[in-house]
Amino acid sequence: MITIHEALDSVLAGIEPLGGEEVRLLDALGRASAQRIVSPEQVPTFANSAMDGFAVAGAELEAGRRQFSVVVDIPAGRYVSDEIGPGEAARIMTGAPVPAGTDTVVQVEHTTVDDDVVTIDSAPATGANVRRAGEDVTAGDVLFERGALLGAAEVGLLAAVGVEGVRVARRPRVAILATGSELVAGGQPLQPGQIRNSNSFTAYGQVVAAGGDPILLGIARDDPDETRRLMAAALQNDVVITSGGVSVGDYDFVKQVQDELGVERRFWGVATKPGKPLAFGTRGSTLVFGVPGNPVAAMVSFEMYVRPAVLALQGRPDVYRPWFLARSDEPVHRTKGRTEARRCRITHDPDGSIRFTTTGPQGSGILSSMAGAQGLFFVPPQYAGGDAGTEMLVMLLAGSGTERPPFPVPPR
Ligand code: AMP
Ligand code: MG
């Protein structure tokens, strides 16, 4: 068995980002940019007022002048080309262009107005309350590198500089195949001994959340021919996830069928709980994951290895999750030879420091304790158990980051 880090290195080694496609700006939301984006425009485009008030020459305030005659009104959207002369002020609104001859805005709260004369009650420094042209973005600035996730702020920034379309990374096509003769598709009645297929649904959700394009291939019974037929179809995609049938049981055919179809095995078995019998290989550029059948093991395996791969295929540098060290609200149970990932919720002490609490029973089939989990915490192998307050690595199940969590691994 290999460690989490070895498994991650093996999965991420040699992944080449897929190509890109051109989309309209709003359709780029949640996608990764397929190229570096350079700003075509500056923001703000022109010097403008940050306040409602009066635009004057700062030098006149410095020289002690406190009364100005108001010669023009400048609401947002209006451009005044006339220069403001000595002793003059422009009444100006937030966002309106600061007229020639002025460089400072006195906010209205600091003035007294009598007819067309404004008295400055409190003079600001020269340049105050004026947003400089280009102070946010300069034309030619690199806004985003290739692989950057385009969220609301990023799409907004692109709109602000006049970008209307973006080349984004193609969504990786991820084939999802459930294996198991006991599985029943949704809508079918359960016969004795049968269970419902949930792994296809959790994988679908995880693929979508990672920016992939899920392709559901249904259920393969524990039969080599049927598994081979469906696996062959699955291999036409960028990524294949099969669940179940990858352990050492008499009816576990996934590895055999992968071998028959020319999938090169990179590893089988990671020293983690849940998720030990994970098989990973490649065929050409297709990444082939055989995740264990137990619903939590399948989800955790996806989270740990498939998600980073799906993000890397989009050129994302932030293939990991955000993580931190936090203290347990409860005693931490012992482990044996494997690193254990346990699901938890994040809580806080009255002083604001971060705690975590398990979401309930941690069996690898207990999907209800995965529901509502905000994170996974990692207990080192051979851990003897600890009291409440013990510090552990917590990996969030939301967001992303470029730093790999320092997963605990077995001592060499
Ligand atoms: P396996 O890895 O095939 O030995 O399956 C391990 C456990 O996971 C068994 O109890 C299976 O019934 C269950 N299981 C396998 N596939 C699924 C699935 N698609 N949905 C829900 N449970 C499953
Ligand atoms: Mg099975």
Side-chain angles (χ1 to χ4, degrees):
M1 278 193 292
I2 63 173
T3 68
I4 297 175
H5 294 280
E6 289 163 342
L8 270 169
D9 288 342
S10 171
V11 167
L12 293 173
I15 292 185
E16 285 295 326
L18 303 171
E21 60 192 1
E22 196 74 24
V23 297
R24 289 175 314 152
L25 182 57
L26 281 179
D27 294 326
L29 256 181
R31 309 282 300 264
S33 177
Q35 60 193 21
R36 169 183 277 192
I37 303 179
V38 171
S39 182
E41 295 179 2
Q42 65 174 1
V43 183
T45 350
F46 50 85
N48 69 90
S49 180
M51 293 282 177
D52 296 329
F54 294 87
V56 297
E60 291 204 273
L61 292 176
E62 282 175 34
R65 182 189 285 280
R66 289 295 178 268
Q67 286 203 329
F68 297 84
S69 52
V70 181
V71 294
V72 64
D73 250 23
I74 315 180
R78 178 160 169 215
Y79 177 72
V80 169
S81 54
D82 295 343
E83 183 158 337
I84 306 299
E88 293 176 350
R91 182 181 279 111
I92 193 165
M93 302 300 142
T94 304
V98 171
T102 73
D103 57 8
T104 304
V105 172
V106 187
Q107 63 188 92
V108 70
E109 294 89 336
H110 296 167
T111 64
T112 310
V113 186
D114 188 9
D115 285 332
D116 285 340
V117 174
V118 59
T119 304
I120 311 301
D121 303 325
S122 156
T126 294
N129 304 319
V130 172
R131 302 189 279 222
R132 283 181 297 106
E135 76 173 18
D136 185 357
V137 176
T138 305
D141 274 359
V142 174
L143 295 178
F144 308 113
E145 293 292 349
R146 174 183 181 185
L149 174 64
L150 302 176
E154 290 76 16
V155 164
L157 185 55
L158 292 171
V161 298
V163 169
E164 290 175 9
V166 187
R167 193 164 175 76
V168 295
R170 176 165 76 70
R171 291 187 186 284
R173 281 194 287 271
V174 184
I176 298 168
L177 178 62
T179 77
S181 297
E182 73 279 30
L183 299 175
V184 170
Q188 300 298 311
L190 282 182
Q191 304 298 332
Q194 294 186 325
I195 67 162
R196 299 192 191 283
N197 167 22
S198 59
N199 289 348
S200 295
F201 291 78
T202 52
Y204 188 100
Q206 290 180 301
V207 169
V208 169
D213 178 12
I215 294 147
L216 289 174
L217 292 179
I219 298 166
R221 280 172 293 148
D222 292 318
D223 166 87
D225 293 335
E226 184 164 319
T227 305
R228 195 179 304 111
R229 183 172 60 76
L230 287 163
M231 181 85 79
L235 285 166
Q236 305 308 309
N237 296 284
D238 301 308
V239 180
V240 175
I241 309 170
T242 60
S243 69
V246 75
S247 198
V248 291
D250 291 343
Y251 297 91
D252 289 343
F253 295 116
V254 165
K255 286 187 10 260
Q256 173 196 322
V257 166
Q258 287 180 353
D259 293 343
E260 288 167 6
L261 292 173
V263 174
E264 272 178 58
R265 172 125 334 103
R266 298 291 174 83
F267 63 81
W268 177 57
V270 187
T272 53
K273 183 179 172 185
K276 179 173 83 168
L278 171 71
F280 172 69
T282 55
R283 197 185 74 167
S285 59
T286 300
L287 308 174
V288 186
F289 294 90
V291 305
N294 273 306
V296 176
M299 285 196 79
V300 170
S301 299
F302 184 103
E303 182 58 45
M304 297 293 294
Y305 310 104
V306 188
R307 179 180 176 277
V310 171
L311 295 180
L313 284 169
Q314 296 166 78
R316 293 268 301 268
D318 51 339
V319 301
Y320 302 110
R321 291 294 201 184
W323 58 270
F324 44 80
L325 302 178
R327 294 186 187 284
S328 176
D329 253 350
E330 342 160 272
V332 178
H333 299 306
R334 64 193 295 264
T335 58
K336 293 183 181 164
R338 291 181 277 154
T339 303
E340 290 193 25
R342 299 177 184 164
R343 39 274 192 213
C344 62
R345 290 192 65 79
I346 311 302
T347 60
H348 295 90
D349 270 352
D351 72 0
S353 57
I354 304 181
R355 297 267 166 164
F356 63 88
T357 311
T358 51
T359 51
Q362 296 289 317
S364 61
I366 310 280
L367 194 52
S368 58
S369 64
M370 193 69 188
Q374 293 174 303
L376 297 174
F377 69 95
F378 289 84
V379 189
Q382 315 292 4
Y383 180 70
D387 298 332
T390 301
E391 201 173 60
M392 292 278 153
L393 167 69
V394 178
M395 180 182 101
L396 286 182
L397 289 171
S400 60
T402 52
E403 290 171 69
R404 180 183 295 182
F407 299 111
V409 295
R412 282 281 153 190

